[in-house]
Amino acid sequence: MARPKRAVGELGKVTYSVEPNGLVVARARVFDGSGKERRPYGSGATEAEALASLQEAADVVVGRVLARRVELTTIAELAERWLKVAYHDDDPRVLRQRREQTVDGYASVIRAHILPRAGAIPITDMTADRADGLLMDVAREKTVMTANKVRNVLSLMYDWAIQQGLFSAAGSIQQTRHGAVVVANPIRATRRADEPSTVYFELDAVQVKYILHLIREVWPERHRARFPVGRRPNFKLLADYILITLGTSERTAEPIAIRFQDVRFEAVEQPDGSLTMEALVWVGGTMVRTRSRGLFRQDSPKAERQKRWVRAPQFAAKVLSELVANHVPNPELNPDDVLFTSERGRPRDPSAVSQLMRMFRREFEPELLAIGVDAEHLTFRSLRKAVAAAVSGMAGVEVARDLLGHSDESITEGHYAKRPELIVDGAADALDKVFAGTDA
C-alpha cells in the first residue's frame, strides 16, 4: 500500500547532522503552497534548537498562509504577545504603526485593570457575559471611562487573536487540534458604558480678565503671605499658557511644543493706514512622554492631518512676541528649540503646567464660583471648548472646525461647540427672500 502524501506545510522525516564546529543541523522535506517539494534546514546548539530553526525556515518556504501560529492559553499570555507583536511588526500593509505612547497607554490598562482581574483566565473561557461582569466591576470600582478603556483594549486583543487563527470568525464553539475555542470576539457583545454628557464651557472677556488678575496679582501676594520662604509657583507661566491656549485653541501639550521657527510675524496695514504686527503660529507638534524615551517633542499634533497655521489674536501675539524675544537657543538642553523652557533651559513637561492649573483651582474655587466659573471644569481642554464656543458663535462652526483642526464639523459640534438654539432666525430671513409675495 502506497504511503500517503504529506500535507502541504507538513515536515517529512527530520535528519540531524553535526558540523565540525559542533553545530547541529536539521534537514527535512516539505511541500510549499504550489505543491512543489522544498528542502529547508535549520541549525542550533542542540537538536531541539535545530528543529525549531528548521520549522521557522519551513514556515518561510511554505508561506505565511500556512505558517504555524503561536498557541496562547491565558489572557495574560495573549496580552503579552499582543503588546509585543500587534503594533511593532513588519507588516507592509500597515502604513502607520501605533504611536509608542498609545501602546504605553494600552499596557497601562492591561497592567492596572485586566491582569489583576482576568490574567489567569483561559482565553476560551472569556464569554460575553463574563466580560460584561468584568466591565461592570471596573465601572463600579473605578469610572465609566475606565471601563470603556478596558473594553476597547480587550476587544483589540481578541480581534488580534482571531486574526492570528486562535479564534474563528464564524460559528459558535469549534473543536480544533488545540481544543475548543471561542469563535467570535466576545467583547463586542458586551455593553458599552454610557459616558457623561458633554459639558460645554464658555468664558467671556470679563471672566478671563478676572482669572488672569487672580493669577498675576492675588495669588503671588497670598502665597507670599502664607509661605514667606520656599519655591513659588510659576504664576507667569500659567497666565501665558492660558492666553496662548485661548488664542490658538491648541490641546494641552501642544502650546508647550511651539518652537522658535513655528512663530512668524507679519506687518498688516489697517484701513486707516496704520501698521499692526500679527503673529502666525504653526501647530505642528506636541510634547509626549513614553516609558522608553521619556519626554520628547513629537513632530505632529494628535493626528498628522491636523497640522495648520493659526493667526493668533493680539492678546496671544503679545505673549508669543515676548517668548520669542527672550528665547536663548541651547542645542544641548533644548535640541528642538521650543519656546517654553524650564529654569534650567530644558523643555517643560505638560504635566507641570496642568499641576499649576489644579493648584490655582483649589486655591480660588470660591472666587471662580462667584463669577460663574465652575472650578472643576476649568481645565486647558475646557479653554479649548471656550474658544470653539466663541468662534462658532461669531464666525460659524466651519471656522471653529478649521481652528481646532477637526476633520468634521460633527466633532466640533458634538464635543466643543453647542449648536445655536435660534438657528431659525437665519432660515426665516432666507425664506422671506425666496418666497417674497406669496402672502399677497
Side-chain angles (χ1 to χ4, degrees):
M1 183 177 178
R3 227 175 10 179
K5 185 177 180 180
R6 294 190 309 277
V8 175
E10 180 185 354
L11 287 176
K13 181 181 178 180
V14 180
T15 60
Y16 298 94
S17 62
V18 181
E19 296 292 316
N21 59 3
L23 201 65
V24 178
V25 178
R27 292 182 173 84
R29 300 183 182 188
V30 64
F31 289 107
D32 63 16
S34 67
K36 181 179 178 181
E37 188 176 71
R38 309 290 289 272
R39 300 185 180 185
Y41 68 92
S43 59
T46 64
E47 289 190 358
E49 292 181 6
L51 179 61
S53 177
L54 169 63
Q55 186 62 63
E56 291 180 6
D59 289 344
V60 172
V61 167
V62 171
R64 289 181 181 269
V65 68
L66 291 174
R68 295 189 310 169
R69 300 297 185 182
V70 176
E71 182 180 353
L72 304 172
T73 58
T74 66
I75 290 178
E77 292 175 348
L78 172 60
E80 180 182 7
R81 184 68 177 173
W82 175 68
L83 286 172
K84 286 183 178 179
V85 177
Y87 299 117
H88 300 284
D89 56 16
D90 58 350
D91 191 339
R93 300 168 296 178
V94 181
L95 298 179
R96 294 177 295 274
Q97 296 286 351
R98 294 280 185 182
R99 286 172 172 164
E100 186 178 352
Q101 59 268 29
T102 303
V103 180
D104 282 352
Y106 293 158
S108 177
V109 171
I110 289 172
R111 184 171 57 252
H113 306 293
I114 296 178
L115 295 186
R117 301 171 187 271
I121 296 177
I123 54 177
T124 55
D125 288 350
M126 180 57 77
T127 56
D129 61 331
R130 289 175 175 171
D132 202 63
L134 182 150
L135 296 174
M136 190 180 299
D137 289 341
V138 173
R140 284 172 177 166
E141 298 175 18
K142 301 298 180 180
T143 64
V144 168
M145 294 186 66
T146 301
N148 282 340
K149 288 181 181 179
V150 172
R151 183 181 184 272
N152 180 53
V153 173
L154 276 173
S155 184
L156 290 172
M157 287 167 50
Y158 272 79
D159 277 345
W160 181 78
I162 292 172
Q163 184 265 323
Q164 291 296 302
L166 300 173
F167 299 87
S168 171
S172 55
I173 298 294
Q174 180 179 353
Q175 297 292 333
T176 71
R177 59 180 176 175
H178 301 309
V181 296
V182 182
V183 295
N185 188 337
I187 314 303
R188 292 186 181 275
T190 62
R191 176 178 178 177
R192 180 176 177 84
D194 295 331
E195 296 187 3
S197 300
T198 300
V199 177
Y200 296 100
F201 191 81
E202 298 182 29
L203 285 175
D204 57 33
V206 175
Q207 291 171 324
V208 173
K209 288 180 180 178
Y210 186 68
I211 289 172
L212 294 175
H213 165 71
L214 293 176
I215 295 173
R216 291 169 171 167
E217 300 174 23
V218 180
W219 197 8
E221 292 297 327
R222 183 180 297 185
H223 190 277
R224 189 177 298 109
R226 187 179 303 169
F227 306 102
V229 296
R231 188 171 182 176
R232 308 187 190 283
N234 195 329
F235 312 111
K236 187 177 186 308
L237 170 63
L238 181 59
D240 288 351
Y241 212 79
I242 288 175
L243 289 172
I244 290 184
T245 301
L246 286 174
T248 62
S249 80
E250 292 181 286
R251 293 179 175 85
T252 304
E254 291 174 356
I256 215 164
I258 297 176
R259 301 169 299 180
F260 181 80
Q261 61 265 37
D262 291 337
V263 182
R264 192 171 70 195
F265 294 96
E266 295 180 348
V268 179
E269 185 176 359
Q270 301 300 319
D272 60 358
S274 61
L275 293 177
T276 60
M277 192 68 69
E278 296 188 356
L280 291 173
V281 182
W282 174 244
V283 182
T286 186
M287 298 300 291
V288 297
R289 179 182 292 277
T290 63
R291 293 170 63 87
S292 62
R293 297 180 58 182
L295 181 69
F296 66 97
R297 184 185 184 277
Q298 176 181 284
D299 195 24
S300 71
K302 185 177 181 180
E304 184 73 23
R305 65 177 181 274
Q306 294 175 350
K307 291 183 175 181
R308 61 200 184 277
W309 281 102
V310 173
R311 188 176 298 278
Q314 290 298 317
F315 62 83
K318 182 178 179 181
V319 177
L320 289 169
S321 63
E322 183 180 347
L323 288 170
V324 169
N326 296 330
H327 178 67
V328 178
N330 190 333
E332 182 179 353
L333 299 179
N334 183 17
D336 291 312
D337 216 23
V338 298
L339 294 178
F340 280 103
T341 57
S342 65
E343 292 77 3
R344 297 182 179 181
R346 299 183 183 276
R348 287 195 178 273
D349 194 324
S351 63
V353 186
S354 298
Q355 184 181 13
L356 270 175
M357 179 66 90
R358 290 193 296 270
M359 292 171 61
F360 171 71
R361 294 202 313 260
R362 289 194 300 266
E363 184 69 30
F364 292 98
E365 182 175 1
E367 289 86 347
L368 293 172
L369 288 175
I371 62 170
V373 176
D374 188 345
E376 180 184 355
H377 296 143
L378 181 60
T379 63
F380 289 112
R381 187 169 188 268
S382 69
L383 294 178
R384 184 170 153 88
K385 290 187 177 185
V387 172
V391 174
S392 63
M394 295 294 295
V397 71
E398 297 87 356
V399 178
R401 174 203 63 194
D402 294 338
L403 178 63
L404 271 65
H406 290 155
S407 59
D408 193 275
E409 293 174 14
S410 61
I411 301 175
T412 310
E413 289 185 335
H415 299 281
Y416 291 89
K418 285 190 293 188
R419 185 184 294 274
E421 295 177 356
L422 297 177
I423 59 173
V424 292
D425 284 350
D429 294 337
L431 292 172
D432 280 337
K433 293 179 181 178
V434 175
F435 300 109
T438 57
D439 58 341

